[in-house]
Amino acid sequence: MNIDSMPLHLAVGSCFKEGIQQPLLIKRDNLTDNWMTLSTLTQFDYGAYLNDVTCTNEACIIAGSIDESFPPVTRKRLVLLTSYDQGSTWKTINIAGLPSMVDGYIARIICQDKICHALGYYRDNRKPTLPLLLTSSDGGRSWSYNRNLSDLPSTLQEGGLNTITCTDNFCIAAGTYIEVNSKNNQKWLPLILMSYDYGMTWSGVKDIKGLPQIQFLRIKRIQCKGETCVIAGEYDFKNVFLISSQNKGKSWTFSKELPELADTASLYMEDLTYTNGLFIVGLKQLAVLSIFASRAEDKAMIVKKALARHL
């Protein structure tokens, strides 16, 4: 579940009701500090995955996907919803210039002033999945498909974007991609894109120092503070990694050394944030939640200290 941090507090997700997956929208009452479930998403009967929400001065926007059944196949249709009355009513946004797709999924959405970006993946009839980036220049009122992802790796066979951060004109979007060699062997790799013009054009990161051979990779979150940027995720189904830059994306280093929890089974990276001079990573292993932190000035960006562990 993702929660918007603007004065209007909204949370989105999904829930099961009477055995059917349905969209979940929750709003905080600022007078009582209580949270209430809103039943204003009347567009969907079932199969809605609401992944993120944000609010600008213009509107509130929800991003996600909806299951559509075409027996014997169920496909995902990407969806953006907007509200101009603080979440009381919602309308589906038409997205201009979308490529032909049979599946679509939006993982994250971010707005900075009037410029917004939504990212995920889509699938057409030629390749399994491809990175997707949507852009709005009017605070989320209208959206279009961003075609300026021309600097994707030439070996990309399949991929998608999962997280994004922006500070002023500098943006970083990250996800994963698969390349297939001549022997048809798959290789999972980080997909990192950077923009220096508010996300209008993007360039790909070509080199990551210390990147090992990886069977499976999933990037979950990215955070930047000053010149330091940290990307966190999971690899090989049991390990957590960090990819860090100390020079605002000019060079990147892979690190897999986490104290006490390295090379353990059933390990999941839950979240990454920055506060009070610390990058904080939240991990979950079975029923145990662990929190680690690293100072921005630590050049290796290896987490140093377990702050808490509890059931």
Side-chain angles (χ1 to χ4, degrees):
M1 178 182 291
N2 281 329
I3 301 176
D4 177 65
S5 58
M6 297 293 287
L8 171 64
H9 292 89
L10 297 173
V12 295
S14 60
C15 63
F16 280 91
K17 183 178 180 181
E18 298 177 353
I20 299 174
Q21 181 160 328
Q22 298 184 1
L24 178 65
L25 173 60
I26 302 175
K27 179 180 178 181
R28 192 184 78 171
D29 187 329
N30 291 330
L31 295 178
T32 64
D33 264 352
N34 293 326
W35 289 80
M36 64 189 80
T37 302
L38 302 179
S39 56
T40 56
L41 299 177
T42 57
Q43 298 95 327
F44 319 117
D45 295 327
Y46 67 94
Y49 300 81
L50 305 183
N51 298 322
D52 209 357
V53 59
T54 191
C55 292
T56 70
N57 292 330
E58 305 294 327
C60 292
I61 309 120
I62 292 175
S65 65
I66 304 166
D67 283 345
E68 292 184 328
S69 182
F70 300 92
V73 177
T74 298
R75 298 171 177 170
K76 291 188 182 301
R77 176 170 61 88
L78 63 86
V79 62
L80 285 173
L81 304 171
T82 186
S83 172
Y84 301 104
D85 53 13
Q86 297 193 325
S88 297
T89 59
W90 295 84
K91 295 181 179 180
T92 303
I93 302 174
N94 293 321
I95 304 168
L98 278 178
S100 175
M101 63 176 65
V102 295
D103 274 322
Y105 181 88
I106 300 177
R108 299 285 289 176
I109 185 171
I110 187 173
C111 290
Q112 186 177 228
D113 296 327
K114 287 183 174 293
I115 299 177
C116 301
H117 301 290
L119 52 78
Y121 68 81
Y122 75 95
R123 183 167 64 90
D124 60 18
N125 290 318
R126 295 169 295 172
K127 292 186 178 182
T129 61
L130 294 171
L132 174 71
L133 182 64
L134 308 175
T135 299
S136 171
S137 299
D138 55 9
R141 288 181 174 272
S142 60
W143 290 79
S144 61
Y145 172 64
N146 192 324
R147 299 180 180 275
N148 296 318
L149 295 182
S150 56
D151 198 31
L152 294 174
S154 60
T155 56
L156 184 148
Q157 297 293 317
E158 178 178 354
L161 296 168
N162 197 50
T163 184
I164 185 172
T165 187
C166 291
T167 303
D168 297 327
N169 65 329
F170 178 60
C171 295
I172 300 178
T176 56
Y177 75 97
I178 299 173
E179 68 173 23
V180 180
N181 61 22
S182 59
K183 297 181 180 180
N184 206 33
N185 294 323
Q186 290 188 347
K187 184 178 181 182
W188 289 74
L189 294 167
L191 177 60
I192 305 174
L193 304 175
M194 296 188 299
S195 173
Y196 296 93
D197 56 5
Y198 299 94
M200 297 299 107
T201 60
W202 297 82
S203 59
V205 172
K206 300 295 191 294
D207 180 56
I208 301 173
K209 296 178 182 178
L211 187 66
Q213 291 289 329
I214 293 173
Q215 296 179 355
F216 172 81
L217 177 74
R218 178 165 53 191
I219 284 178
K220 301 289 283 290
R221 289 289 186 269
I222 181 169
Q223 286 285 336
C224 292
K225 180 62 178 180
E227 296 284 306
T228 302
C229 294
V230 180
I231 297 171
E234 309 154 5
Y235 74 99
D236 290 352
F237 300 100
K238 62 181 180 180
N239 294 309
V240 172
F241 69 86
L242 301 177
I243 300 173
S244 62
S245 172
Q246 300 292 324
N247 50 19
K248 208 171 183 179
K250 293 186 174 99
S251 61
W252 294 85
T253 301
F254 182 94
S255 171
K256 63 178 181 179
E257 299 178 24
L258 296 180
E260 302 179 34
L261 292 179
D263 300 320
T264 54
S266 303
L267 185 62
Y268 300 94
M269 183 264 157
E270 291 294 321
D271 211 347
L272 167 70
T273 190
Y274 178 89
T275 183
N276 295 328
L278 294 174
F279 285 94
I280 299 176
V281 180
L283 312 176
K284 183 174 69 175
Q285 182 186 12
L286 299 178
V288 178
L289 175 67
S290 299
I291 303 174
F292 298 97
S294 176
R295 296 187 304 273
E297 60 268 24
D298 290 338
K299 293 183 179 180
M301 285 312 302
I302 301 173
V303 287
K304 300 293 184 181
K305 181 179 180 183
L307 297 183
R309 172 176 285 185
H310 58 83
L311 291 176

